[in-house]
């Protein structure tokens, strides 16, 4: 029983840490979007800023996909934790 309790505690800790990471990343991605919008507003159609904004948008897109993967991992960790607790 002690082992299961230790395992579930560890899984809960990992799931909580992953949830904080996802939340922080989503907040930072929003800041990136806001910065890109501000840059576009301030620089207009400047070629160099447009390229930088496009690169940033691509980065944000990839980060978003990574956060979806991280959420799936968190979901599976919670499922595993619940399965162990039920046994």
């Amino acid at each position: 029983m002690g082992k299961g309790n230790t395992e579930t505690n560890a899984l809960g800790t990992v799931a909580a840490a992953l949830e904080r990471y996802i939340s922080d990343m989503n907040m930072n991605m929003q800041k990136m979007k806001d910065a890109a919008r501000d840059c576009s507003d301030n620089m207009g159609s400047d070629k160099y800023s447009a390229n930088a904004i496009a690169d940033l948008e691509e980065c944000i897109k990839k980060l978003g996909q990574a956060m979806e993967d991280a959420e799936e991992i968190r979901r599976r960790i919670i499922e595993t934790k619940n399965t162990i607790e039920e046994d």
Side-chain angles (χ1 to χ4, degrees):
M1 177 146 168
K3 181 179 177 188
N5 192 28
T6 300
E7 287 176 3
T8 57
N9 288 343
L11 289 171
T13 299
V14 169
L18 195 49
E19 184 175 16
R20 282 189 305 274
Y21 172 74
I22 293 166
S23 176
D24 288 350
M25 284 301 298
N26 285 333
M27 183 177 61
N28 287 325
M29 287 167 33
Q30 185 59 50
K31 288 179 183 178
M32 290 180 208
K33 290 176 186 177
D34 294 344
R37 186 174 38 255
D38 288 346
C39 180
S40 178
D41 290 346
N42 293 330
M43 300 302 285
S45 60
D46 172 58
K47 175 177 123 177
Y48 299 107
S49 60
N51 288 341
I53 291 168
D55 289 345
L56 181 59
E57 289 172 345
E58 181 64 24
C59 178
I60 293 168
K61 180 180 173 184
K62 289 179 182 180
L63 285 171
Q65 292 167 344
M67 291 307 99
E68 289 175 14
D69 292 344
E71 183 56 42
E72 175 63 20
I73 292 168
R74 188 186 77 78
R75 186 190 62 73
R76 286 192 276 166
I77 290 169
I78 292 171
E79 284 179 1
T80 301
K81 177 182 178 282
N82 291 340
T83 299
I84 293 170
E85 289 174 340
E86 290 172 1
D87 289 338

